Amino acid sequence: MESWKKKFAVIWSGQLFSILSSAIVQFAIVLWLSFETKSAEVLSFAMIAALLPQTLIGPFVGVFVDRWSRKRTMILADSFVAFCSAVLALLFYLDCVEIWHIYALLAFRSVGSAFHNPAMEASVPLLAPESELLRVSGINQVIYSICNIAGPALGAVFMTSFDMTYVLMFDVVGAIIACGSLLFVFIPNPEKKSEETERDVLREMREGFNVVYEKIGLRRMMMISITVTFFLMPVATLFPLMTLNHFNGNAFQMSLVEVIWGVGMLIGGAILSIWKFKVRKTTLINASYVVLGLTFLFSGVLPDSGFLYFVILTALAGVSAPFFHGPFTSLLQIYIHPSYLGRVFSLLGSVSMLPSMVGLAATGYIADTIGVANSFIISGAVITVAGIYSFFIKTIRSLEQES
């Protein structure tokens, strides 16, 4: 624990290159599909291909993350994602790429991410002191925010400057750097609470589920989180339509909103990583729900001339987002024994991504049926009420005392 800052500096430097290169490649693929097909349906299917495998295999993946060496799991997962990008680069080089090739390789990349993300998050409490976990989560948010801002910009520049073959190879280079950095860091594996002579995947999955279900406060906190995510994700997919249709905006204004959201997340993550909060983590989570819900609600009631206020509200929403994910992640890392964390994070990731599937599939229907602005109002109201209600749940407030 004494050298945890040095270890994280090495890990974060590699992960920054890996996450940034993946963001560049992902946006370049979206642009290529947009230019080649000009089809919103194709883009939706591509997003589903990139998310659905993680959702389906997540609960199973967590079992193996807790069984295997977490360092080796991250290295193999990064290497597999790089291999998928290399195969896609070869198809572009041979000029024989088809849309179904992209769908398939996006799905395979998603399988690699399904192993990497829980292994990374489950390793954090084994490397950093408990008192620093919230700051670590804040720095992670900063890294992801930087990549979310720079990735689309660099992806557009690289795609117009280089052939897609070379753009995809950036992902391979990023994975090599990430794997190389992990080789220089020792990541301990958690002590198992009980050693079983016979292992059973379904039984171990149930153990991970029961760890959450048996704790009333933790179960209720996750249920509220799932509810918020269910109403959040469809609205998140409607931001471009909100700009273009409700505010009569253009492509530049649409890009501006995306960048402002990323900048807000960067600021929020930086605050988390620098400032040591003395309030409960559950208080930060609930406050984040309320702020996020109110920004959606007020965005929906703005007139079509209120685009400037929409940008300001989007920035506030971006700032509030890390105050949910960061404290939520660090609370789980503190509350749950490390030998179960892989299963818990995988299960949570799968359950949280299911609303994404609904949002992607129903975006057009929602916008056409009740209107984009009304979608913001309804979702914002539900999220705000969920946040306020969570403040009054005693079992959630007492979680940190129990941990």
Side-chain angles (χ1 to χ4, degrees):
M1 288 293 179
E2 292 178 0
S3 60
W4 73 272
K5 291 182 180 179
K6 293 180 181 178
K7 289 182 180 180
F8 271 105
V10 174
I11 294 173
W12 277 326
S13 61
Q15 291 302 309
L16 175 61
F17 282 101
S18 178
I19 297 168
L20 179 58
S21 61
S22 293
I24 291 170
V25 167
Q26 182 175 339
F27 193 76
I29 291 174
V30 169
L31 282 180
W32 187 87
L33 289 172
S34 300
F35 292 149
E36 292 295 319
T37 68
K38 297 179 174 60
S39 169
E41 185 179 37
V42 168
L43 292 178
S44 296
F45 285 144
M47 291 295 293
I48 291 173
L51 293 174
L52 188 58
Q54 289 178 259
T55 305
L56 296 179
I57 69 173
F60 299 94
V61 165
V63 173
F64 296 101
V65 169
D66 284 334
R67 283 184 185 179
W68 299 339
S69 163
R70 288 173 180 174
K71 174 179 174 177
R72 191 177 304 159
T73 300
M74 286 188 281
I75 291 175
L76 290 175
D78 271 336
S79 301
F80 181 72
V81 171
F83 173 76
C84 294
S85 296
V87 171
L88 189 56
L90 179 62
L91 292 175
F92 271 102
Y93 179 76
L94 297 175
D95 197 24
C96 62
V97 69
E98 297 183 18
I99 301 299
W100 73 267
H101 292 151
I102 295 177
Y103 290 161
L105 288 166
L106 285 175
F108 282 124
R109 279 169 55 93
S110 178
V111 172
S113 298
F115 281 88
H116 181 276
N117 297 338
M120 180 67 185
E121 291 182 324
S123 299
V124 171
L126 300 169
L127 294 170
E130 181 179 309
S131 60
E132 302 292 339
L133 291 179
L134 185 58
R135 295 178 66 192
V136 170
S137 294
I139 295 173
N140 280 332
Q141 291 294 304
V142 169
I143 291 175
Y144 277 99
S145 299
I146 291 172
C147 295
N148 287 337
I149 296 170
L154 292 176
V157 171
F158 289 171
M159 187 184 170
T160 56
S161 305
F162 306 106
D163 184 81
M164 275 296 291
T165 300
Y166 301 109
V167 176
L168 288 163
M169 291 306 293
F170 278 105
D171 204 17
V172 178
V173 174
I176 292 173
I177 295 173
C179 292
S181 68
L182 286 171
L183 292 175
F184 292 97
V185 177
F186 171 70
I187 300 178
N189 292 311
E191 295 181 3
K192 301 292 188 295
K193 284 200 166 184
S194 61
E195 288 294 337
E196 300 286 344
T197 56
E198 183 180 352
R199 289 178 168 180
D200 180 80
V201 172
L202 293 178
R203 178 183 59 76
E204 292 181 61
M205 284 175 57
R206 287 195 298 271
E207 287 178 355
F209 175 80
N210 289 336
V211 167
V212 176
Y213 186 80
E214 290 173 356
K215 306 296 184 181
I216 298 177
L218 194 58
R219 185 171 78 232
R220 289 180 176 175
M221 186 178 73
M222 284 196 169
M223 289 303 298
I224 290 177
S225 171
I226 293 168
T227 302
V228 169
T229 305
F230 182 82
F231 284 92
L232 170 64
M233 293 308 297
V235 172
T237 62
L238 291 173
F239 263 79
L241 285 178
M242 186 71 167
T243 303
L244 295 175
N245 294 351
H246 184 72
F247 295 108
N248 301 314
N250 51 38
F252 169 77
Q253 290 173 317
M254 183 178 68
S255 301
L256 176 64
V257 170
E258 297 296 326
V259 170
I260 288 296
W261 172 271
V263 171
M265 287 189 65
L266 179 62
I267 295 172
I271 294 172
L272 270 181
S273 64
I274 296 171
W275 195 353
K276 284 194 173 184
F277 289 88
K278 296 182 180 180
V279 299
R280 297 175 189 265
K281 294 178 180 64
T282 51
T283 300
L284 294 176
I285 295 169
N286 297 337
S288 173
Y289 292 153
V290 173
V291 173
L292 194 63
L294 289 176
T295 59
F296 286 176
L297 178 62
F298 292 146
S299 295
V301 299
L302 286 174
D304 56 12
S305 59
F307 178 73
L308 176 60
Y309 298 104
F310 179 57
V311 171
I312 295 172
L313 290 170
T314 300
L316 290 175
V319 172
S320 69
F323 285 87
F324 154 66
H325 187 271
F328 191 87
T329 300
S330 62
L331 190 60
L332 292 178
Q333 290 166 343
I334 294 171
Y335 193 85
I336 296 173
H337 191 274
S339 62
Y340 296 111
L341 275 176
R343 281 165 281 182
V344 171
F345 278 121
S346 295
L347 179 64
L348 178 62
S350 293
V351 174
S352 298
M353 273 194 280
L354 280 173
S356 302
M357 304 296 102
V358 177
L360 287 170
T363 297
Y365 175 80
I366 293 172
D368 294 338
T369 305
I370 65 174
V372 178
N374 288 331
S375 301
F376 271 74
I377 293 172
I378 294 171
S379 297
V382 173
I383 294 171
T384 303
V385 170
I388 295 172
Y389 173 68
S390 188
F391 275 111
F392 295 95
I393 301 178
K394 185 178 180 180
T395 51
I396 292 179
R397 295 201 309 270
S398 62
L399 270 177
E400 287 164 270
Q401 293 175 341
E402 294 178 15
S403 66

